[in-house]
Every structure is written in C-alpha cells, then in structure tokens.
C-alpha cells in the first residue's frame, strides 16, 4: 500500500528556534493535512491544504505556523519560534479527493522543545 | 461543532475473547463518516474501520465490526477473537461529509487504551 513519509522521526530543538517538519504525501493525492497529538491527549486538526493554499485551519494554527508545498512532492510545516507547548507528535496526512473516505497518515514526527 | 466522546479511558480483554469499545458523538449533520483508528506504541495512526452515516448496515472488517446507532449517536467497535497485536490506543473519529469544502477535518475522541492479556 502507498505510504505518507515524514522526516525526521524525531526532532529536538531549543525554545525560540525555527523548525521545519517534512512530509512526502502519496503521489496522486491532492489534499494535505497536518494533525498534532500532545502526549496522552487526543489527535487535533491543525490545517488542511489544497491547490497551494490553506483551505481550513484550527485555532491552534496561529501566526507561528505556516505550511508550504515547495515542489511537486514535499509538504512542510514550519514553526517559526517554537514554544515548550509545541512539543508533540505531528502527523502529516493526505487524501486523493476532498471527500475520499480514506485519509492516509504518516508515521509522525516527534517534536521536543527544550 | 461536532464532539466525539470515548468514555472508557482503558479497557482490557483476554486473548481470544471479545471486547467492545464505546464511542458517542454529537452532531446536527445527517451526512458524515465515522472511523476507528488504532495507534500502537509506534504511534502511527492506522485506520481500522469506517462507517458512512447514510448506510444502515454496520461495517465489518475481519475481526472488527461496529454497532452504529444513528439515532442514539453511538458508534461502538467490537473486536472478536482478540489478539496480542490488537493492544493499542483506539480513537473514534468523526468527519463531516456535507458542504462543498475541500477539507477532510477529523474530530477525534480522547481514545481508549486496550490491553490484551495472554
């Protein structure tokens, strides 16, 4: 089965530093998403992206966050100035169509902000 | 806004036995999907089963089946013949299928940690 690939699997950074989390969605997918899971808590939607623009974002996704599809294959999440509370597992996901019944998740990037 | 509630933080089952995980949700919509995701210790999110709200027949996927009660807004997961590999966190999730939006926003419950005892 095709996979969504995320790199790195673990990222450690100092508070105030910028981080970029990278994702390679499935090649024929058009809709891309970031979700976050703070340890021990539920998975939360951050942002959805289609046709090179954000289609929806949650209240978590403030000005410190941005997403980009810099080329035909990568999808990135940037956190400009990390805070301790940004420590979480970040999941990238993609789907073939807007209302496709299956969302494919990557294996996540564990971000630790010290 | 939709909410998803999983009232069982933890459950345990003996190997080969059957266990049912509960999920309720709140929505004013009529067209939506419901999902169960499994998250093993590796923390990858794995789709277990999905249910379309307009389908009355309960979804089944091998040893996994759901009991979907639309009027009661209840969506439980039954795991039959439990195996050690079923041990994981299980999340119930909701997705709207209404409107012309281009997003696939899932709303998750807090999860149920399933332990399988040998």
């Amino acid at each position: 089965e095709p996979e969504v690939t995320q790199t790195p699997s673990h990222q450690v950074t100092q508070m105030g530093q910028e981080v970029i989390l990278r994702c390679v969605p499935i090649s024929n997918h058009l809709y891309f998403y970031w979700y976050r899971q703070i340890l021990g808590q539920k998975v939360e939607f951050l942002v959805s992206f289609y046709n090179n623009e954000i289609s929806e974002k949650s209240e978590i996704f403030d000005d410190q966050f941005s997403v980009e599809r810099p080329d035909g294959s990568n999808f990135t999440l940037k956190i400009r100035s990390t805070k301790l509370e940004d420590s979480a597992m970040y999941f990238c996901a993609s789907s073939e169509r807007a209302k496709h019944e299956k969302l494919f998740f990557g294996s996540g990037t564990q971000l630790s902000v010290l | 806004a939709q909410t998803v509630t999983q009232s069982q933080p933890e459950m345990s089952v003996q190997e080969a036995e059957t266990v049912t995980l509960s999920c309720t949700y709140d929505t004013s919509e009529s067209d939506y999907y419901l999902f169960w995701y499994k998250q093993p210790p590796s923390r990858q999110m794995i789709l277990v089963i999905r249910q379309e709200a307009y389908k009355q027949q309960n979804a089944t996927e091998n040893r996994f089946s759901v009991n979907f009660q639309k009027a009661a807004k209840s969506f439980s997961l039954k795991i039959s013949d439990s195996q050690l590999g079923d041990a994981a966190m299980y999340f119930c999730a909701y997705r709207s299928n209404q409107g012309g939006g281009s997003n696939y926003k899932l709303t998750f419950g807090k999860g149920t940690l399933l332990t399988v005892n040998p």
Side-chain angles (χ1 to χ4, degrees), chain B residues 20-39:
Chain B
T20 298
L21 308 184
S22 301
C23 173
T24 58
Y25 59 95
D26 188 28
T27 185
S28 58
E29 298 175 335
S30 58
D31 189 9
Y32 51 87
Y33 277 97
L34 295 163
F35 304 86
W36 280 97
Y37 278 89
K38 171 184 177 181
Q39 188 181 46

Side-chain angles (χ1 to χ4, degrees), chain A residues 42, chain B residues 1-6 23-29 32-34 72-75 92-96 105-110:
Chain A
K42 63 181 175 181
Chain B
Q2 293 80 27
T3 58
V4 177
T5 302
Q6 293 179 251
C23 173
T24 58
Y25 59 95
D26 188 28
T27 185
S28 58
E29 298 175 335
Y32 51 87
Y33 277 97
L34 295 163
K73 295 179 183 168
S74 169
F75 182 61
C92 179
Y94 172 101
R95 194 208 91 193
S96 172
K105 174 184 172 183
L106 289 171
T107 301
F108 285 88
K110 290 188 176 181

Side-chain angles (χ1 to χ4, degrees), chain A residues 1-6 24-27 29 94 104-107, chain B residues 44:
Chain A
E1 188 166 69
E3 288 186 348
V4 175
T5 305
Q6 288 186 245
V24 179
I26 294 169
S27 61
H29 286 189
S94 69
F104 290 78
F105 280 88
S107 55
Chain B
Q44 181 153 15

